[in-house]
Amino acid sequence: MIGSLNNKLTDEQKSFIRGTPFGWMVELTESVKIPRNLLTPLISRWVERLGGFRMSAEVVGFTYLDVCLGLGLRVVGENIDLNQEGLNSDLRNLFGASKVVDIEMVYDYMLKHIKVLCLEDFGKLYVLLAISEFLLPNRSGTVFSILFNIVDDLGSMGNLIGVEWCMSFWLAVYVKQNCS
C-alpha cells in the first residue's frame, strides 16, 4: 500500500515525511511484500550467545545497529505495551466510532483526504501506516490502538520506536506461537 500511496504524494508531503524516522519509505514506489514466514527461519538460525545467524558452518553477526541502519531507526527506545488501549487520540478520532481500525481503513482514508488533510495529520497517518504495515504487521491488519497515541506526538517518536523493542516484540510473538 505504501508504494502506491507514495506515487500520489505532493513534494510538501514527501518533505514532511522525510523528517520522520520513516522518511526512507517515501522512496518506495512499488508494492513491497515482506513474507510473513520470514521470521521463523531467521529465529531458528539465531545463535544467542554469538549474536548472529547460523549460515552453513559460520555465524554471521547481526546487531541492533545493523537493523537500525537498514531501517533508518535509532537503537534506543522505551518499551511500548501493545495491549494498552489508546486513550483520547486526535488521530484515532478521524475514524469515528469504529471499534477497530485496520491498515486498509487508514490507507483508504488517506487516499480519500489526500488533498484536504493538514500536512501534520497526513504525516502522522503515514507514519502510523508505516509502523502498522512494516514494523508491527499482524494477520488481521489491525492497527494497535496505542500506536495512535504514540503517533499523535511525532516529536517523541524517536524515543519510543526502538529496534530492540521491535525485535523483542517479534521474538515474543514467535515464542507464543511456536513454543506454547
Side-chain angles (χ1 to χ4, degrees):
M1 292 187 194
I2 289 283
S4 58
L5 180 62
N6 285 345
N7 291 326
K8 296 174 172 56
L9 297 177
T10 66
D11 289 339
E12 188 178 28
Q13 289 166 333
K14 287 180 183 179
S15 178
F16 184 88
I17 293 165
R18 283 187 180 114
T20 73
F22 297 92
W24 59 273
M25 292 188 75
V26 173
E27 307 309 321
L28 301 174
T29 56
E30 297 178 15
S31 178
V32 177
K33 191 76 167 163
I34 300 173
R36 293 192 186 277
N37 59 354
L38 179 61
L39 187 61
T40 300
L42 285 176
I43 297 297
S44 67
R45 293 175 184 261
W46 181 253
V47 180
E48 178 68 31
R49 70 182 168 79
L50 298 176
F53 295 98
R54 180 163 307 285
M55 301 293 174
S56 298
E58 299 290 321
V59 173
V60 177
F62 192 75
T63 67
Y64 293 138
L65 183 59
D66 294 326
V67 176
C68 284
L69 294 174
L71 296 176
L73 298 175
R74 295 173 9 149
V75 178
V76 297
E78 299 171 21
N79 286 335
I80 301 169
D81 180 1
L82 293 175
N83 296 317
Q84 181 182 349
E85 284 295 317
L87 303 172
N88 200 20
S89 163
D90 294 331
L91 203 57
R92 175 63 180 83
N93 291 338
L94 294 175
F95 297 92
S98 178
K99 185 171 179 156
V100 175
V101 176
D102 62 31
I103 293 171
E104 193 168 327
M105 290 171 68
V106 175
Y107 178 72
D108 290 344
Y109 186 90
M110 291 176 74
L111 285 178
K112 184 176 180 181
H113 298 94
I114 196 166
K115 295 189 188 292
V116 295
L117 266 172
C118 75
L119 189 58
E120 186 175 350
D121 284 348
F122 186 88
K124 290 176 182 181
L125 285 170
Y126 187 95
V127 169
L128 180 72
L129 189 62
I131 292 170
S132 300
E133 191 171 356
F134 288 98
L135 290 183
L136 301 173
N138 58 53
R139 292 181 195 266
S140 67
T142 303
V143 176
F144 292 101
S145 141
I146 191 64
L147 294 179
F148 285 100
N149 293 86
I150 292 167
V151 175
D152 267 343
D153 184 13
L154 268 180
S156 69
M157 279 191 56
N159 295 329
L160 292 167
I161 305 297
V163 171
E164 183 171 349
W165 167 76
C166 292
M167 290 178 83
S168 297
F169 170 78
W170 280 114
L171 284 170
V173 168
Y174 177 80
V175 169
K176 184 177 180 181
Q177 291 177 347
N178 296 289
C179 302
S180 302

